[in-house]
Amino acid sequence: MKIETKQLKAFILDSNLAKEEDLENALKEAIEKNLKFEDVLINKNLISKKDLSKLKAYILGIPYVNLEKETVEPEILKIIPEPIARSNNIIAFRKRGRNLEVAMVDPADLRTIDFIRKTANLKILPRLTDDESIKSVLKQYQKSLETEFKDLIDQKGEEVKITAIEELADNGEENLKKAAKEIPIIRIVDTLLKHAIIQRASDIHIEPQEKEVVVRYRIDGVLRDAMILPKQVQEGIVARIKVLSKLKLDEHRLPQDGRFKIETGDYKYSIRVSILPIFDGEKVVMRLLSESNKGFTLEDIGFSGNSLELVHENIKKPVGMILITGPTGSGKTTTLYTILEILNTPEVNISTIEDPIEYRMSRINQTQVNPKINLTFSSGLRSLVRQDPDIIMVGEIRDNETASLSINAALTGHLVLSTLHTNSAAGAIPRLLDMEVEPFLLSSTLNLIVAQRLVRRLCEEKIPYKLNQAQTKNLDNYCNLKNLEKALKEEKIIGPKEGIEDATFYKPKITKDCSEGYRGRIGIFEAMRVSEIIKEMIVKSATSDNIQDQAQKEGMTLMVEDGLVKAARGFTTIEEVLRVITE
């Protein structure tokens, strides 16, 4: 049942899904890099996963099924246990008499088919599907968050009512340890984490109120209520999280920070924990950082056109400084790690100083800031430059000392990458000058400044529309319409003689599989090359507005323009772009 590469190539050509020249190049790359031909086709966007699955089904003579919008009866779904379904990408979805139809990604997996046949004592009818269908049905194994907590709290109500908050606090650490080990409390914390991961949340907020505990998840950058828990479980939950994070159980008056890891066969996450005393107890915020994510490319996170070229051009330079700017939560660290992934070759020594280390990267020497032992950005950076690095990544420039050391490192033959909290690329220069950095040193070292935000990405199903006169006039308040029109023409979204009113934009469409109309996020960027003219302006302490005007004359696309181009390409909406740039 294996499909030969030549056979697959011939069928793709017959189906007019790709050009012969592109297929030849893909085949050559697959052989050179020892990769699967199919994987190269998908990575190069020559064929979609769905089209490839349909074509394979046709070649093998196996029916293709799309289960993305199908609801499978629980009794049929459970014929194949969830761990087997997940590890083997196989789903039971229909049963007729003694016949069980199963959808799978690899129909050549005869061992799994035989195992299910023997276990279920049914005749197995294999069907071919794609990864998205499998993922969609796997979610149906999960009960809703409310149902799980109803089971935990209603049926085990007596167990959950552990001890009044005052008693726990008065009786000290031993009672808190006992509360943290209560079975219902452990299950509540585990369930909160599991559902946050299933829903792709980046943060969990556990917020004590006067009579209840509110749990909220941040999904695609927006906080949403997830659950309301009874007040009596509050202290037990906080104690459990403190035990996992190795924090002081009997400290309730001071903030504490820690971290722990969770790992299953399906995922591996590092959880950053912040606990802050508030009026009604202790608020917990947990940041979820996936350790099993495959590395992104610059294109994956949203770079395109001129900004993509500028980043590639400047990361090839052996010395100088590249700054990524934006507010908290705008994806700066992800951009830095993506650049490091590109630069991470055996020929260079890369060292970082971070607070905290968000993602572990092989072959990169990562140092965690620890103010308790006086290991700060500045003291760590002093030591790093004695470690013979080629590339240095400083997690954040926060003060004059770190800024000066970073610039000196860039002057003495290193490529320095760092982040800064400013609203625009041009705004980074006055911010550094405010830190009392010498203008002539800054102009000598800065190569590139990238400002960014994250916008929610539209689902596949969306509603197209064109701007009316009022909507076009409203856009004029946020950007230069002539520049936007020029950018749309350069991207070939509109024709040479067309205007903004001819561009198609999109609105979110609410569907069963996409309850918000959005899924995931993508970056919008402005990349400012520090040209010779801008270097002279820095020495003369020019304002950020003047520097931005000059950068635009030199071809810089503003962040709002980049966002609106992405909106016209169907990645996001105008409303999303305006929301993030006006926050």
Side-chain angles (χ1 to χ4, degrees):
M1 294 180 79
K2 187 180 176 183
I3 300 171
E4 296 296 330
T5 301
K6 285 182 181 178
Q7 188 183 16
L8 180 59
K9 183 185 161 191
F11 271 90
I12 292 171
L13 283 171
D14 288 345
S15 308
N16 291 320
L17 290 170
K19 294 176 183 175
E20 186 169 7
E21 185 185 349
D22 292 334
L23 292 177
E24 287 294 342
N25 291 335
L27 184 56
K28 188 179 176 184
E29 184 177 327
I31 293 166
E32 285 175 357
K33 296 184 179 178
N34 196 25
L35 298 170
K36 281 187 178 180
F37 180 51
E38 296 174 17
D39 293 342
V40 176
L41 291 175
I42 291 164
N43 290 338
K44 286 182 163 292
N45 294 319
L46 294 176
I47 187 169
S48 68
K49 287 184 180 180
K50 202 175 283 320
D51 284 342
L52 184 62
S53 296
K54 287 178 181 178
L55 192 62
K56 285 166 71 177
Y58 177 75
I59 296 168
L60 294 167
I62 297 171
Y64 173 84
V65 290
N66 184 349
L67 302 175
E68 285 185 56
K69 296 180 182 178
E70 293 292 321
T71 303
V72 181
E73 292 177 23
E75 296 75 25
I76 295 170
L77 194 64
K78 287 174 186 174
I79 292 172
I80 301 177
E82 185 182 357
I84 292 169
R86 282 187 181 277
S87 58
N88 295 283
N89 283 325
I90 185 167
I91 295 290
F93 69 95
R94 191 179 294 133
K95 183 173 175 284
R96 290 174 179 155
R98 304 290 303 159
N99 293 337
L100 179 69
E101 292 184 65
V102 298
M104 54 203 305
V105 174
D106 179 14
D109 188 1
L110 301 176
R111 187 177 170 186
T112 303
I113 293 173
D114 193 48
F115 171 79
I116 295 163
R117 181 181 59 78
K118 288 175 180 175
T119 308
N121 195 25
L122 295 167
K123 184 182 178 183
I124 307 301
L125 305 176
R127 305 289 183 250
L128 198 65
T129 192
D130 54 72
D131 292 331
E132 292 306 313
S133 287
I134 295 286
K135 286 176 189 173
S136 177
V137 180
L138 283 173
K139 290 177 187 174
Q140 296 176 36
Y141 277 100
Q142 308 296 332
K143 291 194 289 183
S144 73
L145 188 59
E146 290 81 0
T147 306
E148 287 209 33
F149 277 110
K150 195 171 188 304
D151 293 343
L152 284 169
I153 293 164
D154 290 354
Q155 294 175 16
K156 296 181 178 287
E158 293 305 311
E159 290 182 75
V160 172
K161 291 178 184 178
I162 40 175
T163 316
I165 296 167
E166 293 80 5
E167 284 181 55
L168 280 168
D170 293 343
N171 294 340
E173 194 171 338
E174 285 308 310
N175 268 0
L176 288 165
K177 279 184 181 175
K178 187 180 174 185
K181 291 176 183 176
E182 290 278 352
I183 295 297
I185 291 298
I186 291 172
R187 287 180 62 196
I188 286 171
V189 173
D190 288 351
T191 304
L192 281 172
L193 288 166
K194 181 179 78 174
H195 279 274
I197 289 165
I198 289 166
Q199 294 181 46
R200 304 171 298 104
S202 59
D203 302 85
I204 304 170
H205 290 237
I206 301 169
E207 303 169 341
Q209 309 289 314
E210 186 180 356
K211 296 178 181 177
E212 61 198 15
V213 178
V214 176
V215 179
R216 298 195 288 170
Y217 291 161
R218 187 178 293 280
I219 301 168
D220 296 335
V222 179
L223 271 173
R224 299 181 177 91
D225 284 355
M227 191 64 205
I228 293 175
L229 299 173
K231 184 73 172 177
Q232 61 264 30
V233 303
Q234 173 197 329
E235 200 71 22
I237 289 172
V238 175
R240 174 65 182 162
I241 292 166
K242 283 181 178 178
V243 166
L244 290 171
S245 312
K246 296 183 172 59
L247 299 176
K248 292 179 182 176
L249 280 168
D250 55 350
E251 179 57 78
H252 306 284
R253 298 171 301 169
L254 293 173
Q256 294 191 73
D257 294 314
R259 66 192 304 155
F260 63 93
K261 289 187 179 185
I262 55 170
E263 188 173 353
T264 72
D266 299 318
Y267 51 74
K268 185 178 179 182
Y269 274 80
S270 176
I271 315 291
R272 245 169 60 197
V273 177
S274 172
I275 298 177
L276 181 73
I278 61 173
F279 187 81
D280 290 303
E282 290 174 277
K283 179 185 173 183
V284 180
V285 175
M286 292 187 279
R287 167 68 56 90
L288 279 63
L289 302 162
S290 174
E291 294 192 356
S292 52
N293 270 350
K294 291 180 181 176
F296 294 113
T297 65
L298 290 170
E299 291 89 340
D300 289 337
I301 60 177
F303 278 95
S304 61
N306 187 45
S307 59
L308 179 64
E309 287 175 24
L310 280 173
V311 173
H312 276 298
E313 176 191 318
N314 283 277
I315 63 176
K316 289 175 186 172
K317 293 180 180 177
V319 297
M321 182 183 280
I322 296 173
L323 285 178
I324 313 295
T325 75
T328 303
S330 60
K332 298 187 298 296
T333 306
T334 300
T335 301
L336 277 184
Y337 278 115
T338 304
I339 292 171
L340 286 181
E341 190 75 47
I342 297 166
L343 295 170
N344 190 9
T345 62
E347 295 80 29
V348 293
N349 175 21
I350 303 176
S351 295
T352 76
I353 178 86
E354 305 171 59
D355 183 22
I357 295 170
E358 295 200 7
Y359 300 102
R360 284 287 297 113
M361 297 183 77
S362 62
R363 300 183 66 91
I364 290 180
N365 310 293
Q366 295 173 269
T367 303
Q368 166 79 50
V369 165
N370 188 348
K372 290 177 184 175
I373 56 170
N374 200 33
L375 177 53
T376 60
F377 276 117
S378 50
S379 64
L381 189 50
R382 278 197 188 90
S383 299
L384 279 193
V385 293
R386 293 194 289 272
Q387 286 277 311
D388 185 32
D390 299 292
I391 298 161
I392 297 171
M393 192 265 267
V394 182
E396 185 188 338
I397 293 176
R398 294 179 179 175
D399 52 37
N400 167 261
E401 194 174 10
T402 312
S404 298
L405 286 167
S406 299
I407 285 166
N408 282 326
L411 278 170
T412 53
H414 306 94
L415 179 63
V416 178
L417 310 172
S418 192
T419 69
L420 199 64
H421 285 98
T422 62
N423 291 326
S424 65
I429 292 165
R431 176 87 179 90
L432 288 165
L433 294 175
D434 285 345
M435 291 181 185
E436 299 178 359
V437 173
E438 291 291 347
F440 70 91
L441 292 177
L442 195 56
S443 69
S444 303
T445 52
L446 267 182
N447 292 341
L448 180 72
I449 306 171
V450 178
Q452 68 177 78
R453 299 287 188 281
L454 291 175
V455 292
R456 288 184 291 171
R457 190 192 281 266
L458 279 167
C459 293
E460 279 189 31
E461 288 191 53
K462 50 208 167 200
I463 303 164
Y465 74 100
K466 293 189 187 293
L467 295 177
N468 59 35
Q469 197 172 355
Q471 290 168 324
T472 306
K473 190 177 178 182
N474 181 50
L475 271 189
D476 198 24
N477 298 321
Y478 299 96
C479 71
N480 185 311
L481 292 182
K482 286 183 180 177
N483 288 347
L484 176 59
E485 194 171 286
K486 183 185 171 187
L488 291 171
K489 286 176 182 176
E490 285 174 358
E491 292 286 328
K492 295 184 171 53
I493 293 166
I494 57 176
K497 295 181 180 179
E498 291 182 319
I500 291 171
E501 64 280 357
D502 298 300
T504 302
F505 291 91
Y506 299 86
K507 289 187 180 294
K509 184 177 181 180
I510 309 300
T511 64
K512 187 181 80 172
D513 298 314
C514 196
S515 58
E516 300 280 332
Y518 298 98
R519 188 178 184 84
R521 288 190 287 176
I522 189 171
I524 59 173
F525 304 90
E526 62 184 35
M528 188 181 89
R529 183 170 64 89
V530 183
S531 65
E532 291 304 317
I533 296 172
I534 291 174
K535 286 178 190 288
E536 289 173 17
M537 293 175 78
I538 292 171
V539 173
K540 293 174 183 175
S541 300
T543 65
S544 59
D545 287 344
N546 290 338
I547 291 169
Q548 182 165 299
D549 288 344
Q550 178 58 35
Q552 281 184 272
K553 286 176 188 173
E554 294 175 8
M556 180 179 82
T557 302
L558 290 181
M559 197 164 14
V560 63
E561 293 163 5
D562 183 50
L564 293 171
V565 167
K566 285 186 171 78
R569 290 171 67 185
F571 292 134
T572 187
T573 62
I574 291 173
E575 291 75 19
E576 263 300 287
V577 174
L578 299 184
R579 176 181 72 83
V580 299
I581 64 160
T582 54
E583 275 183 348

